[in-house]
């Protein structure tokens, strides 16, 4: 009799705190858990904003020097008042049109599906983020704890 194989695992590092960079790790991790995989996301540096109770609902899309903007935008336009709000509204509109959950809804889905949400303890100290600032279900963990999780991952990504 052979031992049962372990589930596949994905380990993702999320280091950016903008709305356009918050969705990819959550989409990948929740998709992985829906396929029976284990999933963990390590939020570090500005990525901690995704787990921050007050900040995650206010993440924005920066248009300045963003080559992926659908309308080529000279940098001078990206600094005009209201351009960040316009880019953010545009992305939120795309998400609604595609029937994707809002970021807070995605975070709830991730927690409920078993995605491990690692908040980098070292970066929390650097950025002045307290454990009480984090959403429910986020685990404060050092790099060693995440590396232990990632060492057994079939897929490792930095997004």
């Amino acid at each position: 009799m052979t031992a049962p194989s372990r589930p596949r695992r994905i380990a993702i590092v999320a280091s950016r705190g903008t709305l356009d960079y918050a969705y990819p790790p959550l989409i990948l991790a929740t998709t992985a858990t829906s396929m029976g995989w284990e999933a963990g996301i390590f939020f570090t540096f500005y990525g901690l904003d995704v787990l921050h109770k007050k900040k995650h609902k206010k993440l924005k899309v920066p248009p300045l020097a963003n080559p992926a903007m659908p309308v080529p935008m000279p940098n001078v336009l990206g600094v005009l008042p209201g351009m960040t709000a316009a880019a953010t509204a545009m992305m939120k509109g795309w998400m609604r049109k595609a029937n994707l959950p809002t970021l807070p809804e995605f975070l709830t889905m991730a927690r409920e599906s078993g995605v491990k949400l690692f908040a980098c303890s070292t970066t929390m100290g650097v950025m002045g983020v307290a454990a009480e600032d984090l959403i429910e279900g986020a685990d404060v963990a050092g790099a060693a704890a995440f590396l232990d999780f990632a060492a057994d991952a079939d897929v490792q990504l930095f997004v």
Side-chain angles (χ1 to χ4, degrees):
M1 175 182 249
T2 61
S5 64
R6 66 165 179 78
R8 296 188 79 181
R9 180 181 282 186
I10 185 168
I12 304 168
V13 176
S15 65
R16 297 183 181 167
T18 61
L19 187 61
D20 51 334
Y21 278 97
Y23 272 94
L26 291 167
I27 290 169
L28 290 165
T30 55
T31 300
T33 58
S34 75
M35 296 169 54
W37 292 31
E38 294 177 337
I41 308 171
F42 186 69
F43 294 89
T44 187
F45 287 92
Y46 295 112
L48 285 172
D49 288 353
V50 177
L51 298 181
H52 196 285
K53 286 178 190 174
K54 293 181 182 174
K55 294 181 180 181
H56 79 275
K57 295 176 185 174
K58 300 176 186 175
L59 297 184
K60 303 197 178 338
V61 177
L64 185 63
N66 189 340
M69 292 303 294
V71 178
M73 185 178 303
N75 281 340
V76 70
L77 292 180
V79 297
L80 292 176
M83 292 308 291
T84 297
T88 301
M90 184 171 51
M91 181 167 183
K92 286 182 176 181
W94 292 338
M95 296 302 160
R96 271 191 306 277
K97 188 174 180 181
N99 294 316
L100 286 174
T102 64
L103 187 58
E105 291 168 339
F106 237 129
L107 286 164
T108 298
M109 285 173 42
R111 285 191 316 263
E112 290 175 354
S113 71
V115 174
K116 292 175 178 49
L117 304 174
F118 297 92
C120 176
S121 59
T122 302
T123 305
M124 287 174 66
V126 170
M127 307 291 275
V129 177
E132 302 79 43
D133 296 331
L134 302 176
I135 62 169
E136 181 183 331
D139 294 318
V140 176
F146 180 71
L147 289 173
D148 188 49
F149 178 87
D152 291 328
D154 301 286
V155 177
Q156 300 142 357
L157 300 171
F158 188 91
V159 293

